[in-house]
Amino acid sequence: MTGLGAVFRPQLAPERLRSVARAADEAGLEELWLWEDCFREGGVSTAAAALAWTERVRVGVGLLPVPLRNVALTAMEASSLHRMFPGRPLLALGHGVQDWMGQVGARAESPVTLLREHLDALRALLRGERLTVEGRYVRLDDVALDWPPDGPVPVIAGVTGPRSLRLSGASADGTLLTASTPPDGVRRARQLVDEGRSAAGRTDAEPHPIVVYLLAATGPDGPERVRAELAAEGVASVPGLGVAGDAKAVAEAVRRYAEAGADTVVLQPTGDEPDPEGFVRFVAEEVRQLVP
């Protein structure tokens, strides 16, 4: 079955999250994803709150920029969330927007190297290993978690370029793609991820799920809002991006992504979505029943 989720956009004030998270949980939404966009809302703090306010919905952070975090802190926070809310947190890590990283003095000379070192160390720490690492960016001296997770914790990489997609296959447990990825881009991403898995000898490992955001809007002004956002992102000319319409139209777009290789499609409302609670109910109650 194709997984289905929705995004709580950080253009909404943090205090709005409670009502959206509860609406998602009550409607039976599978996944609610949050963003740590600079300089809006913290990913771990909002995820912890959303998890505490709900009972069933999985809560993803897509994504945590690794230049902002020491890997030991990432491991501590990830493990704490998984021990308090087993099976429900989903954490994706990525390079971060380089201009934003420059604004806070955290821009790395080699973002790919930093992400690889962070992913490798994080996954080891979450497995309960004790690490001493002397990398270009990640340096640990006899570090282990006092409270490691009780079971396996998948670590997702949010990436776009070919090198980073191969890195995700080699060093992550799943890949998150942006809403600027058309169905053909999902196919290409799957190929590159598989190349990375093969090069790392991970072909017999657990499946590597692909998660992709899909910009979506409903209502009479939906097409206009989707067009405006795609134009603002500079991707209006890319075919296959975004969908506007009723549940049937949205479900058909989700199926196109699933056929291209996406395991989970996360519907991303426009930044000016007028009814975020209604949007998550629309995804859970109307779109879900039309997506196999």
Side-chain angles (χ1 to χ4, degrees):
M1 181 177 74
T2 303
L4 197 63
V7 178
F8 174 87
R9 294 284 295 262
Q11 284 84 353
L12 296 167
E15 57 268 26
R16 188 71 180 272
L17 175 59
R18 184 173 185 170
S19 65
V20 176
R22 286 187 165 177
D25 205 44
E26 292 166 2
L29 186 72
E30 295 155 43
E31 297 181 4
L32 180 67
W33 283 77
L34 314 175
W35 292 357
E36 189 170 74
D37 277 2
C38 294
F39 298 96
R40 289 175 171 142
E41 294 159 9
V44 174
S45 56
T46 51
L51 288 161
W53 287 327
T54 57
E55 297 292 335
R56 296 174 298 276
V57 66
R58 294 190 294 276
V59 177
V61 182
L63 48 75
L64 298 173
V66 297
L68 295 182
R69 283 179 178 77
N70 184 285
V71 68
L73 178 61
T74 308
M76 291 159 58
E77 291 179 327
S79 184
S80 295
L81 288 177
H82 277 272
R83 289 183 69 100
M84 291 187 291
F85 309 101
R88 294 177 57 210
L90 301 164
L91 296 181
L93 294 87
H95 307 301
V97 176
Q98 295 307 296
D99 287 346
W100 290 343
M101 299 302 100
Q103 281 182 270
V104 298
R107 188 166 187 163
E109 183 178 353
S110 177
V112 174
T113 301
L114 170 56
L115 183 59
R116 176 180 54 78
E117 292 182 355
H118 198 109
L119 289 171
D120 289 345
L122 176 61
R123 293 175 67 237
L125 289 169
L126 292 175
R127 290 193 298 266
E129 298 179 18
R130 183 172 295 275
L131 293 187
T132 295
V133 176
E134 188 66 31
R136 180 174 178 181
Y137 296 102
V138 172
R139 298 177 178 87
L140 300 172
D141 182 9
D142 194 33
V143 174
L145 295 175
D146 282 8
W147 295 103
D150 291 330
V153 173
V155 175
I156 302 169
V159 290
T160 54
R163 287 181 65 203
S164 297
L165 285 162
R166 292 188 182 96
L167 167 63
S168 182
S171 297
D173 304 302
T175 298
L176 174 67
L177 304 174
T178 73
S180 297
T181 310
D184 283 346
V186 174
R187 293 186 182 91
R188 178 59 174 160
R190 172 67 75 182
Q191 178 184 350
L192 292 166
V193 164
D194 287 345
E195 289 176 6
R197 282 165 58 84
S198 178
R202 300 186 67 195
T203 52
D204 294 331
E206 293 294 318
H208 185 108
I210 300 288
V211 182
V212 62
Y213 291 135
L214 170 59
L215 184 66
T218 190
D221 64 344
E224 180 181 349
R225 288 191 285 117
V226 167
R227 284 195 298 269
E229 185 146 323
L230 292 174
E233 294 294 324
V235 291
S237 62
V238 178
L241 294 183
V243 59
D246 59 11
K248 181 180 178 182
V250 175
E252 288 174 352
V254 171
R255 286 196 293 271
R256 287 195 292 272
Y257 276 85
E259 291 166 359
D263 297 284
T264 297
V265 179
V266 181
L267 296 175
Q268 173 184 314
T270 59
D272 58 355
E273 167 59 50
D275 182 11
E277 291 86 358
F279 184 83
V280 297
R281 293 190 191 98
F282 167 74
V283 177
E285 298 173 350
E286 298 185 44
V287 179
R288 172 75 275 178
Q289 64 180 333
L290 300 176
V291 176

